[in-house]
Amino acid sequence: MKTAAPSDQVGWQASMDMVCETMLAAQTYPSPRHLYWIFMRLPYIGSSAAIVLFHCLAYLASSAASSLASAADVPAAIETGLTTTERKPLWELGLGAAALHQTYYTGTRQTRTLGVPVPLIIYRGEIFRSDNEGIRAELIDDERFELDLSFGLNLGIDSEDVDLRKGMDDTDTLFEIGPSLKITLAKTELSEWRLNLPLRVNLGFSSDGIDESGFTFAPDIRYSRRLFEWSDQTWIGTASAGVQFGTREFQNNYYGVEPEFASDERPAYEAESGFSGSRLTLTLRSKTDQRLIGIFGRVENISGASFEDSPLVETRTGFTVGLAFSWFFLRSSALEPG
């Protein structure tokens, strides 16, 4: 695993401290450009990225706590423009389509384009919920802290479609499940800053059944803001920057080469647990009673990752862009819990 030299690491941490302290001195919260500043420097500091990122997160949490304490006379239920106090239907059903263009995995230059029909189910139960934040079970939910059970999906890869993997076993589709702690750092009438701390186990699905495929931890800091109104519709933008760590089993799903698949050009390789890279994600969405539109993009960088020297890595970056549209045709008369 590559790491920054001690003097370089101290320099990067000092620079990050200076930025965070400047924001505190001005008594302002960071803007999206600070997310970009953090993300662009993560690759250069290698495995020390998490240390530096959390250095800044600690400052942000401290700043948010101070600001919230001084605003104790403000009502607890803050109308952000991102949510509404109006109770919504308990469930909604929709049908639409999604188009996705992405690298097969971060490390290859080859890409794929997918177009699929998308059934959309929104459910707003007291514990189980499915909405724009994904499928989850809320275990603890108060004004500033939320603990839930979250889910995710990583599509499998046909190795014959990727030159670096030809002749190897295909990768399974991975279903992710695990707890996620969400901390609201700051909130205004139009925007919100939040820290997400998800820890998930990955379950591989294949014709041979289901097997456990390692764990991931992917903390990120997320900024959401109501951007503009168009045709009487509200558009909300979200930017997030974060890092990811994975266990050996998870890293080897994509970057390991078993001896039976080794060759002169592709030597045997076993990935180690540790840093998996950094990511920057941008989304734009709008929802009305009739339809949902979402546009999203993600850039990932694996510089400094524990598997950076894998023979299955030919580039340090990867990306995903997509567009989704859904039309709601049925909703319940019952309302979500108050």
Side-chain angles (χ1 to χ4, degrees), residues 46 60 124 312 319:
L60 293 176
R124 305 181 179 95
L312 301 180
F319 71 89

Side-chain angles (χ1 to χ4, degrees), residues 163-205:
D163 292 342
L164 291 175
R165 295 188 59 90
K166 284 189 182 297
M168 297 180 62
D169 287 340
D170 298 338
T171 66
D172 295 339
T173 292
L174 298 181
F175 178 71
E176 303 176 323
I177 180 173
S180 178
L181 177 62
K182 302 174 182 178
I183 305 172
T184 299
L185 301 177
K187 183 183 286 189
T188 72
E189 293 183 355
L190 297 176
S191 63
E192 180 183 65
W193 281 93
R194 192 166 69 181
L195 172 63
N196 299 306
L197 303 170
L199 175 65
R200 291 172 172 173
V201 61
N202 290 262
L203 302 175
F205 286 78

Side-chain angles (χ1 to χ4, degrees), residues 58-80:
Y59 279 115
L60 293 176
S62 174
S63 177
S66 176
S67 176
L68 292 171
S70 65
D73 57 332
V74 177
I78 301 175
E79 177 59 50
T80 65

